[in-house]
Amino acid sequence: DIVMTQSPDSLAVSLGERATINCRSSQTVLYNSNNKNYLAWYQQRPGQPPKLLIYWTSTRESGVPDRFSGSGSGTDFTLTISSLQAEDVAVYYCQQYYSSPWTFGQGTKVEI
Amino acid sequence: QVHLVQSGAEVKKPGASVKVSCKASGYTFTTYYIHWVRQAPGQGLEWMGRINPTGGSTTYVQKFQGRVTMTMDTSTSTVYMDLSSLRSEDTAVYYCARDGVSEFFQHWGQGTLVTVSS
């Protein structure tokens, strides 16, 4: 199974500042035939189901604000919130869908 | 608009079984896989398996093999997840999720809390 490891486990960011979350996979999630990284990011606010933010490493889901961006390739990925808003307080998860079983990182809690 | 509506919370005794339903609407039911993901209290997300609504084929995580069964009713666009031989460690919120153009989870149900307690 591919192990996904996020860092840090938690971070506190001031309103309007940048938040950066890292995700590392135990093996590549880059599919060479289409040059796509099979990596997604989710946001989970307290008491709610997860919400898809980004897929294919950097494609924002419809309706997701452009302050959220994803980058990386191979085994190392980053989710960046360029200017933290109060509503961004949540736990963020990365997920690989390159190889079954699909696996998630342990989560990163973002606080103000 | 895609909606996944799950059944209500359940309390079960150890050794019992639970069946959670997930009713889909707002899209062609047979077009996308439905997955089940669980989340123990205060913990992360764990993928359990999926069902292909075209034909009903299933894929289960090895950890749950022999205890989980995913079925569907195309007439009502409903998917079911049955988990047997429950133990306290199965206490969790169980989510159904529909995938997108690949196997990321684009739409989620509201979650069903299953509590296993004697």
Side-chain angles (χ1 to χ4, degrees):
Chain A
D1 298 3
I2 296 179
V3 177
M4 307 298 290
T5 304
Q6 293 181 226
S7 61
D9 289 334
S10 65
L11 75 161
V13 178
S14 300
L15 288 173
E17 295 301 304
R18 178 184 300 258
T20 301
I21 301 169
N22 301 301
C23 174
R24 176 166 288 176
S25 56
S26 61
Q27 53 190 277
T28 188
V29 299
L30 172 62
Y31 194 39
N32 288 328
S33 66
N34 61 9
N35 201 35
K36 286 182 180 287
N37 287 280
Y38 285 53
L39 190 285
W41 289 96
Y42 302 85
Q43 174 193 65
Q44 187 176 31
R45 294 180 175 128
Q48 296 193 12
K51 172 188 172 184
L52 176 67
L53 292 177
I54 286 172
Y55 55 97
W56 300 131
T57 299
S58 59
T59 301
R60 268 189 304 276
E61 171 69 334
S62 176
V64 172
D66 61 7
R67 64 180 180 273
F68 291 92
S69 63
S71 63
S73 185
T75 61
D76 290 283
F77 302 90
T78 300
L79 174 70
T80 302
I81 310 172
S82 60
S83 176
L84 194 79
Q85 304 300 303
E87 61 265 31
D88 300 335
V89 169
V91 179
Y92 293 83
Y93 295 93
C94 59
Q95 178 233 338
Q96 66 81 19
Y97 48 102
Y98 177 86
S99 172
S100 180
W102 321 129
T103 48
F104 295 88
Q106 80 277 16
T108 295
K109 186 174 185 178
V110 174
E111 301 171 301
I112 304 289
Chain B
Q1 194 172 5
V2 175
H3 286 291
L4 300 174
V5 179
Q6 299 183 223
S7 49
E10 303 264 12
V11 179
K12 296 292 183 181
K13 293 194 182 303
S17 296
V18 68
K19 192 168 188 173
V20 180
S21 67
C22 171
K23 183 173 174 58
S25 62
Y27 71 99
T28 302
F29 179 66
T30 51
T31 305
Y32 299 92
Y33 293 163
I34 294 288
H35 304 254
W36 289 90
V37 176
R38 77 177 187 178
Q39 186 171 38
Q43 302 300 307
L45 302 167
E46 180 176 31
W47 182 67
M48 300 177 66
R50 71 181 188 211
I51 185 166
N52 182 350
T54 301
S57 63
T58 54
T59 300
Y60 303 137
V61 172
Q62 188 172 7
K63 171 180 178 177
F64 300 104
Q65 288 273 5
R67 286 211 301 142
V68 70
T69 305
M70 297 176 190
T71 57
M72 65 181 190
D73 180 346
T74 52
S75 69
T76 60
S77 300
T78 301
V79 171
Y80 301 91
M81 189 281 297
D82 198 315
L83 188 63
S84 63
S85 302
L86 290 168
R87 33 208 188 232
S88 59
E89 310 90 88
D90 295 317
T91 293
V93 176
Y94 290 77
Y95 294 103
C96 62
R98 198 210 80 176
D99 64 17
V101 295
S102 188
E103 295 197 51
F104 50 84
F105 310 119
Q106 192 169 35
H107 300 279
W108 295 71
Q110 83 275 21
T112 296
L113 175 62
V114 175
T115 302
V116 183
S117 173
S118 54

